[in-house]
């Protein structure tokens, strides 16, 4: 009986810790999305967005579904903040589906890839998850842009001097932003994950 109570207490403690971590990371996601909007005028060529960092960290340290939740929080923050307003004006349903889906799938994919590789190498798993998250996020955005908004995007691109809607998507809307997000994730995610593992007293693996 004593051992059963001890195990039950440990399980509750672990669940509480996970929920606390998830709550903190959710708040960080929202704050970073707001920060990205506020600082956008300072970076006219590309936007500095760190939102995918806590999503990937949560997916790696808490689990696949945590990544999905954090991706959903990211999508909701984008919609609430007005960052998707131009797309909402064109196709509200398509905009909501695209913004939420790309965030959720990016988080789930990062968590799945980390879980798949972590037993072999936690550092390798963190790097892989850090790469997959922005790739899926951007990939789903590109697909959704073709499905829901391509005629409008083509018109936007022509107005800005691009030769086609495809050129505008890849070189105007995605381009440098994707490379910045990918680079930040690849550099920072393994460091963050290893530091958190060290703080927990976990054995670090190469």
């Amino acid at each position: 009986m004593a051992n059963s109570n001890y195990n039950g207490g440990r399980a509750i403690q672990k669940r509480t810790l996970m929920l606390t971590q998830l709550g903190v990371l959710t708040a960080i996601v929202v704050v970073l999305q707001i920060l990205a909007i506020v600082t956008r005028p300072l970076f006219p060529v590309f936007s500095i967005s760190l939102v995918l960092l806590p999503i990937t960290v949560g997916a790696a340290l808490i689990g696949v579904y945590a990544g999905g939740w954090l991706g959903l929080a990211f999508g909701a923050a984008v919609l609430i903040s007005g960052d998707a307003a131009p797309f909402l004006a064109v196709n509200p349903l398509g905009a909501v589906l695209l913004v939420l889906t790309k965030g959720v799938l990016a988080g789930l994919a990062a968590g799945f890839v980390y879980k798949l590789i972590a037993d072999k190498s936690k550092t390798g798993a963190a790097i892989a998850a850090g790469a997959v998250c922005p790739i899926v996020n951007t990939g789903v955005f590109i697909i959704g842009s073709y499905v829901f908004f391509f005629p409008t995007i083509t018109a936007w691109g022509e107005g800005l001097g691009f030769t086609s809607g495809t050129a505008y998507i890849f070189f105007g809307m995605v381009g440098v932003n994707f490379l910045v997000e990918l680079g930040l994730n690849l550099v920072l995610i393994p460091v963050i994950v290893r530091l958190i593992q060290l703080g927990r007293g976990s054995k670090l693996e190469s």
Side-chain angles (χ1 to χ4, degrees), residues 72-172:
L72 180 63
F74 167 43
V78 169
L79 294 172
I80 295 172
S81 66
D83 208 20
F87 295 95
L88 286 168
V90 175
N91 185 340
L93 179 59
V96 172
L97 287 175
L98 175 56
V99 170
L100 295 181
T101 299
K102 72 184 185 68
V104 171
L105 290 181
L108 290 175
F112 177 76
V113 167
Y114 184 86
K115 183 178 180 181
L116 190 66
I117 303 175
D119 287 341
K120 299 177 181 178
S121 169
K122 285 185 169 58
T123 300
I127 292 173
V132 164
C133 191
I135 289 173
V136 171
N137 182 64
T138 301
V140 174
F141 172 77
I142 291 173
I143 293 171
S145 294
Y146 278 102
V147 173
F148 297 114
F149 307 105
F150 193 65
T152 301
I153 287 174
T154 299
W156 289 346
E158 290 175 352
L160 294 171
F162 287 88
T163 57
S164 66
T166 296
Y168 181 49
I169 289 173
F170 281 91
F171 300 108

Side-chain angles (χ1 to χ4, degrees), residues 45-47 49 52 130-139 141-142 169-170 172-186:
V45 178
F46 58 89
S47 60
S49 177
L52 297 182
V132 164
C133 191
I135 289 173
V136 171
N137 182 64
T138 301
F141 172 77
I142 291 173
I169 289 173
F170 281 91
M173 301 178 70
V174 177
V176 177
N177 289 342
F178 166 71
L179 294 177
V180 171
E181 290 176 352
L182 179 62
L184 287 172
N185 261 30
L186 290 178

Side-chain angles (χ1 to χ4, degrees), residues 4-27:
S4 177
N5 290 338
Y6 174 77
N7 290 335
R10 293 270 295 181
I12 293 174
Q13 186 180 33
K14 182 178 179 180
R15 192 178 304 115
T16 301
L17 176 61
M18 289 175 59
L19 289 174
T20 301
Q21 291 173 332
L22 191 58
V24 171
L25 288 170
T26 301

